[in-house]
Amino acid sequence: LRKRFNKILIPYLIWTLIYVLFNYRNDIGTLMRQKSQFASLLLQKLKFGTADSHLYFIIIMIQLYILFPVLKKLVEKAPKVTLWVSFIITLLFHTGVYLSLLHKVTLPGFVIPYYEFFPTWIFFFVFGMYFCQRFSVLTEKIRKGRIILIPVWFVSLMLLIADSRLTNTY
């Protein structure tokens, strides 16, 4: 964990500072005179990963790295159950976020945005752990089922395009 945090956390801190300085370059004089305001802004950007649009992903990674030891034990003891439970959790969170964006439901307020909260992404992390443990078996199954993957990929692409057209997110 320490090794992963050093590779993630230190660059995250540095890049957040760079983005804050760049994005607020016109107000930097005012911010530097009011150091508490600058510190507050910097902490806010660090906490939510909002110094630039792609940094929210680092917040998710940190949350999942903290959970890694627990998830690793669960994947080792009950791999398929852990995979399915994580899938259901992620499906529920993604469905909630999706329906909220379509204004079909209102999600309760939360400390951080739902798309930055680990349950929204836990399946992908657990799937990676599951896949790594069974790499040779799963790659052989994929190799044998390549013809099946092509229609699945095509149907997924069509669903993605249809959804993006219907929701004006294309």
Side-chain angles (χ1 to χ4, degrees):
L1 281 176
R2 188 174 317 146
K3 182 176 147 184
R4 290 174 191 233
F5 275 118
N6 286 339
K7 287 184 177 180
I8 299 297
L9 201 54
I10 293 170
Y12 174 67
L13 294 171
I14 293 168
W15 278 106
T16 298
L17 179 62
I18 290 169
Y19 280 123
V20 167
L21 291 173
F22 179 77
N23 290 335
Y24 292 90
R25 64 191 174 277
N26 295 333
D27 302 323
I28 205 70
T30 305
L31 286 172
M32 288 302 165
R33 282 189 296 278
Q34 299 172 349
K35 289 182 178 44
S36 63
Q37 185 180 359
F38 179 74
S40 175
L41 175 69
L42 186 59
L43 286 173
Q44 171 91 6
K45 299 296 182 182
L46 281 168
K47 187 166 75 171
F48 296 116
T50 55
D52 204 52
S53 59
H54 61 279
L55 290 179
Y56 79 94
F57 183 71
I58 304 299
I59 301 297
I60 296 164
M61 287 175 53
I62 291 168
Q63 293 172 50
L64 292 169
Y65 282 163
I66 290 168
L67 291 173
F68 178 75
V70 173
L71 293 174
K72 186 175 188 236
K73 286 180 184 176
L74 289 172
V75 169
E76 288 170 353
K77 287 184 180 182
K80 289 185 180 179
V81 171
T82 305
L83 191 65
W84 276 107
V85 168
S86 70
F87 176 76
I88 291 167
I89 291 169
T90 294
L91 180 65
L92 290 172
F93 269 77
H94 272 279
T95 301
V97 169
Y98 182 76
L99 291 174
S100 174
L101 290 172
L102 293 176
H103 304 290
K104 303 290 183 191
V105 298
T106 301
L107 296 175
F110 196 62
V111 178
I112 61 174
Y114 283 93
Y115 64 87
E116 288 185 21
F117 192 41
F118 75 89
T120 310
W121 307 102
I122 196 166
F123 169 73
F124 304 102
F125 196 74
V126 169
F127 179 76
M129 294 166 58
Y130 180 86
F131 191 85
C132 284
Q133 284 186 344
R134 290 154 189 79
F135 183 76
S136 58
V137 173
L138 292 173
T139 52
E140 186 60 33
K141 284 183 180 181
I142 289 170
R143 210 173 286 126
K144 288 180 181 177
R146 187 174 302 196
I147 294 172
I148 294 170
L149 287 178
I150 293 170
V152 168
W153 177 85
F154 187 74
V155 168
S156 297
L157 177 64
M158 292 298 106
L159 285 171
L160 180 66
I161 291 170
D163 173 67
S164 66
R165 300 283 276 164
L166 290 170
T167 59
N168 279 334
T169 57
Y170 55 91

